[in-house]
Amino acid sequence: MKLKSFLITFLFATLFSANAQKPSTYKVFEKQPINFIGEKGTDGEAVRLMDGRLVYKKVTVPTFANGTDVKIKLTVRSAGDRWDKSGSCFVVTDPEKLSILSIAEKDKKFPTDSYVDDKYAGFVTGKNYSPVVELMRFMTPFGVGYYSDNKVKYRRPVYIPSWEKQVVWEHDITELESLVTGTFYVGVWIDSWTAEGYDFDMELTYSNRKQQKVSVLPIVNTIPYVGGQQIPDNFAHKDLEQTIRLKKDAKNVKLHYITTGHGGHSGGDEFIKIKNSVYLDGILVLDTIPWRDDCASFRRFNPTSGVWIKKDSASYISRETNKYEIKEIEERIASSDLSRSNWCPGSFVEPMVVDLGNLKAGAHNIKIKIPATPIDGDKLNHWLVSAYLTYE
């Protein structure tokens, strides 16, 4: 009997251990509309702000005493919007404190210490306010899904057999585990100004595999999610400086920096190379020109991208001479093919991560320098930048 009891106990312990390690996936949104004064969808738990351009939801998942891997998966389809748009997934952990959610819903005002240059509200951390932490930056493609049929077949290059029906991004957010376990509020913003807009799915997956727990300190987020926030052309006028405070000595500190340039038509910040420099306590820690030159690889997601004809030269083997000769050709170029400031239509934006080592408790100065181009009429140059620290 003792052997039988031992075997039963061992079997249950083994099954429990196996289940404890089994990944858990939580579907937060499914076919959720996001648009401007358009369809609301059927999810009674989804809250729409800004006339439907921002959608969020309260989420409750287990806490993990030993930490866990976390992955976010986002699927986006056009519901009729044919343009490429900026998009962001974000998290709010305490809605009772001032955040973009409480300000948008309860008609509160951004505190003065959250402003940059007394004009750009809610961009930086204040005494009683923190900008939301960005889980994922993405750019919608031109019309994927809704227009993925033969109605636009004459724009489809020969190397694409068919347009994709949707775009899917997955991203590891393990270092944000403390923000996306327990109860929290997760949202999605897409800069759509059409009633058709998009619909999207979002899910979070937890491995329950032991991971080092880290703390998160928001620094800046210049995305104008809600009313009262300006288009962030602030970098064209002045460097952004912010004082952060660590309550205790921090080990293995990492800066997570997400940046994309936008606007200005062909000669604006979206299409010209501009350096981003980040300083910590006066020391340059990140110096980079954020740029993507692989946008043509996303062509299958962009059925409604604008197309024009460009004259070019091509080398070919002549049947008469059996030698290489040069001839003039006409080549189709799509807007979605063009290189851009750290993004492509249909791409996820990879955060830049800088190892800062160990930092002492107290105040530290962060400065972000981007010699950007000012807004000029309808040339709406701006940089969407978000940054936070993680540390042990």
Side-chain angles (χ1 to χ4, degrees), residues 9-10 37 71 166 168 192 194 206 223 261 275 296 330 354 362:
T9 302
F10 176 78
I37 318 179
K71 289 185 178 181
Q166 58 191 15
V168 182
S192 176
T194 71
Y206 303 81
I223 296 174
K275 183 179 288 188
E330 290 185 335
V354 181

Side-chain angles (χ1 to χ4, degrees), residues 21 23 38 64 69 84 93 105 107 127 140 178 203 219-220 223 246 279 282 294 300 311 315 322 330 344 359 368 389:
Q21 296 298 320
F64 298 83
D69 297 293
D84 58 331
T93 56
E105 287 187 294
D107 200 29
K127 183 177 180 180
T140 71
S178 63
E203 61 185 43
I219 300 174
V220 59
I223 296 174
L246 295 172
Y279 299 80
D294 61 338
R300 67 193 186 279
K311 289 187 176 182
S315 175
N322 202 32
E330 290 185 335
C344 301
L359 294 179
I368 302 173
L389 297 183

